[in-house]
């Protein structure tokens, strides 16, 4: 006899989702501070110090620090680096770079996880388009987070949007994940997929949605430091992420920043700061 098994997926109550929004707000404010701080001449280790101060100042803990031995409080991935870049005193930002900053925090036992890609000074049109396509593909994926939808609908929406915008590489080796009392929980969320396939999404699930968009091919490799993921062809990459709760009213963006307000309203998602 075969027994059908589903991965164990944590389902949250409304009160727990409120706690996750509190954790997500710490991440959101830290990313706001980092975005405002980014400028040519600073190092990625400078950004790490700002992030750690911001997270701990809010009474939270940086979840990345020590995660499987990761040395930083944030991941800082510059230009051809896709994700998991290690903050370093030797990594100096230059005018025209793009930097992906991934940030996680634990508050009261609940996790938030979010990422943005930021231009260092002025970047060219190709970089801007890559960032816009990546961020919009994330919103397309988030829009699928409704009870009754399927896991495959998320990846289908992300991949479909990216393909519709031209020749971008959609990284397949990494993806989103469940989030709650741990940063990485079931299920794994692919950034590609088939509509109507996979587990059913239910109210109370919380998922981190995080597409990575390359200017060249989708192929990536890991550096010898055991962390940093780079594009195989050396072309640039972008990464955006939000943690989101599935509610009866629609996707509740737990790591929403003030600058996301208009987008969230335009999509008809619930206001993450309603009481
Ligand atoms: Mg992240
Ligand atoms: Mg994540």
């Amino acid at each position: 006899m075969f027994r059908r098994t589903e991965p164990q997926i944590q389902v949250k109550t409304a009160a727990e989702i409120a706690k996750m929004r509190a954790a997500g707000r710490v991440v959101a404010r830290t990313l706001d501070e980092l975005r405002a701080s980014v400028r040519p001449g600073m190092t990625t280790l400078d950004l790490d110090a700002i992030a750690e101060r911001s997270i701990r100042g809010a009474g939270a803990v940086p979840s990345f620090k020590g995660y499987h031995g990761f040395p930083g409080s944030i991941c800082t991935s510059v230009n051809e680096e896709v994700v998991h870049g290690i903050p370093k005193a030797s990594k100096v930002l230059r005018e025209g770079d793009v930097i992906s900053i991934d940030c996680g925090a634990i508050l009261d036992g609940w996790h938030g996880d979010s990422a943005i890609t930021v231009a260092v000074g002025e970047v060219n049109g190709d970089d801007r388009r890559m960032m816009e396509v990546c961020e919009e593909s994330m919103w397309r994926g988030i829009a699928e987070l409704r009870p009754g939808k399927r896991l495959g609908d998320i990846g289908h929406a992300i991949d479909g949007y990216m393909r519709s915008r031209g020749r971008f590489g959609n990284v397949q080796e990494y993806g989103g994940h469940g989030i709650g009392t741990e940063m990485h929980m079931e299920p794994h969320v692919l950034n590609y997929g088939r509509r109507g396939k996979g587990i059913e999404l239910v109210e109370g699930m919380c998922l981190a949605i995080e597409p990575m968009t390359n200017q060249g091919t989708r192929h990536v490799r890991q550096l010898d430091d055991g962390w940093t993921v780079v594009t195989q062809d050396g072309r640039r990459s972008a990464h955006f992420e939000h943690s989101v709760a599935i509610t009866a009213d629609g996707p509740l963006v737990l790591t929403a920043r003030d600058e996301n307000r208009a987008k969230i309203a335009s999509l008809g998602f619930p206001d993450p700061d309603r009481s």
Side-chain angles (χ1 to χ4, degrees):
M1 279 279 287
F2 290 100
R3 200 166 137 256
R4 264 175 59 90
T5 54
E6 294 266 334
Q8 287 298 307
I9 298 175
Q10 192 176 61
V11 172
K12 285 80 165 172
T13 64
E16 289 167 340
I17 288 172
K19 288 183 176 181
M20 287 194 67
R21 171 56 177 149
R25 213 176 266 126
V26 173
V27 173
R29 287 183 182 150
T30 300
L31 286 174
D32 275 341
E33 198 174 334
L34 292 167
R35 182 196 285 284
S37 304
V38 164
R39 56 179 51 82
M42 77 189 308
T43 73
T44 53
L45 194 64
D46 295 332
L47 291 172
D48 189 73
I50 292 167
E52 181 160 9
R53 201 179 321 123
S54 170
I55 293 167
R56 293 200 193 277
V61 174
S63 47
F64 294 5
K65 191 134 194 165
Y67 183 84
H68 294 282
F70 189 79
S73 289
I74 50 174
C75 294
T76 50
S77 307
V78 180
N79 296 340
E80 78 285 358
E81 296 171 350
V82 180
V83 287
H84 305 164
I86 300 171
K88 284 193 192 84
S90 58
K91 192 86 175 183
V92 180
L93 298 179
R94 292 163 311 181
E95 174 80 24
D97 284 347
V98 295
I99 177 172
S100 298
I101 304 172
D102 196 343
C103 180
I106 313 166
L107 184 70
D108 270 342
W110 296 94
H111 285 250
D113 185 12
S114 182
I116 54 174
T117 300
V118 178
V120 182
E122 286 294 313
V123 296
N124 67 34
D126 286 344
D127 292 336
R128 270 201 306 280
R129 249 183 319 278
M130 166 186 71
M131 290 191 281
E132 285 165 8
V133 167
C134 186
E135 185 169 19
E136 180 61 22
S137 75
M138 174 194 69
W139 290 114
R140 300 294 172 113
I142 291 172
E144 299 297 314
L145 298 186
R146 294 174 186 277
K149 291 273 195 172
R150 298 269 172 179
L151 199 60
D153 295 338
I154 304 169
H156 183 265
I158 291 169
D159 189 50
Y161 179 76
M162 249 190 249
R163 285 171 186 275
S164 78
R165 304 319 291 170
R167 300 171 75 86
F168 292 98
N170 179 9
V171 177
Q172 296 193 350
E173 286 81 354
Y174 303 88
H177 50 92
I179 183 166
T181 52
E182 304 286 338
M183 177 163 57
H184 293 136
M185 306 183 81
E186 294 290 345
H188 182 59
V189 183
L190 295 172
N191 289 320
Y192 58 97
R194 289 174 61 192
R195 192 163 284 293
K197 296 289 179 188
I199 59 156
E200 187 176 339
L201 306 182
V202 302
E203 200 178 331
M205 279 183 187
C206 295
L207 302 177
I209 303 302
E210 49 178 316
M212 290 140 276
T213 303
N214 296 347
Q215 278 180 21
T217 73
R218 69 173 179 81
H219 300 289
V220 297
R221 66 186 173 88
Q222 193 179 60
L223 298 184
D224 290 340
D225 64 14
W227 285 103
T228 314
V229 177
V230 299
T231 57
Q232 275 189 18
D233 60 14
R235 297 187 67 189
R236 292 182 170 192
S237 187
H239 177 216
F240 282 86
E241 176 181 24
H242 271 308
S243 301
V244 184
I246 298 172
T247 78
D249 303 329
L252 186 77
V253 184
L254 299 164
T255 45
R257 302 182 303 282
D258 283 346
E259 63 176 337
N260 299 140
R261 282 185 163 282
K263 182 70 179 179
I264 285 169
S266 78
L267 289 166
F269 296 171
D271 176 359
D273 296 312
R274 70 181 171 186
S275 47

